[in-house]
Amino acid sequence: QVQLVESGGGLVQPGGSLRLSCAASGRTFSNYVMGWFRQATGKEREFVAAITWSYGDTYYVDSAKGRFTISRDNARNTLYLQMNSLKPEDTAVYYCATGPWTNTYYATRGDKYPYWGQGTQVTVSS
C-alpha cells in the first residue's frame, strides 16, 4: 500500500524559504512520477511541480519556475520541494502525489494521480 507523508510546512515571512519533504513507502517508485500540488483556501487545487523518479525530468508551473526546485532522494524514497523567495500568494496546503508513469505527460493532471499525502500547511505572512 502506497503511503505518502509530507512534512516541512510552517509559517515564513515573505522572501523566506522552506523545504517540504514527502516520505514515500509501499512500493518501488522507479516507474512513477512524483508531483507537488497546492490548494489555497477557497481555491481549486493547483499543480506546482513534478519529477520522474527514474530520470529526474522536471516540470513546473510558471509561477514556480526560478523559485522552487523539486528533487528526490532515491535511496531515502523521499521527494523534496525547495521553495525560495516565497510570496503571500504561495500560502496553501501543499500535497505530494504519485502516479504510475515514466514521463510528465500527465504531471499537471491532479485527477490522474491515484496516491496522495495528507498535506502540509505553508503560510507566508509578515
Side-chain angles (χ1 to χ4, degrees):
Q1 181 178 350
V2 173
Q3 281 195 310
L4 303 173
V5 180
E6 302 97 333
S7 60
L11 173 64
V12 63
Q13 292 188 341
S17 298
L18 278 176
R19 188 177 79 157
L20 305 183
S21 299
C22 174
S25 62
R27 63 160 297 120
T28 57
F29 295 93
S30 56
N31 293 318
Y32 275 57
V33 166
M34 308 293 290
W36 285 101
F37 290 77
R38 65 186 181 187
Q39 188 166 20
T41 303
K43 295 189 176 181
E44 291 188 355
R45 183 176 58 197
E46 174 189 32
F47 168 77
V48 177
I51 188 168
T52 59
W53 194 265
S54 290
Y55 304 108
D57 298 327
T58 58
Y59 189 78
Y60 296 91
V61 68
D62 285 347
S63 61
K65 290 178 182 177
R67 299 190 301 128
F68 294 3
T69 303
I70 188 171
S71 64
R72 84 275 188 243
D73 184 329
N74 291 19
R76 299 188 179 196
N77 259 17
T78 301
L79 176 71
Y80 301 102
L81 185 68
Q82 177 67 44
M83 304 187 293
N84 300 327
S85 302
L86 283 162
K87 306 174 182 180
E89 51 264 42
D90 295 316
T91 296
V93 177
Y94 284 70
Y95 299 90
C96 69
T98 187
W101 321 291
T102 56
N103 59 59
T104 56
Y105 183 78
Y106 291 118
T108 64
R109 295 280 305 274
D111 60 315
K112 294 291 188 180
Y113 286 76
Y115 305 108
W116 292 82
Q118 83 290 347
T120 185
Q121 176 71 47
V122 172
T123 303
V124 185
S125 175
S126 55

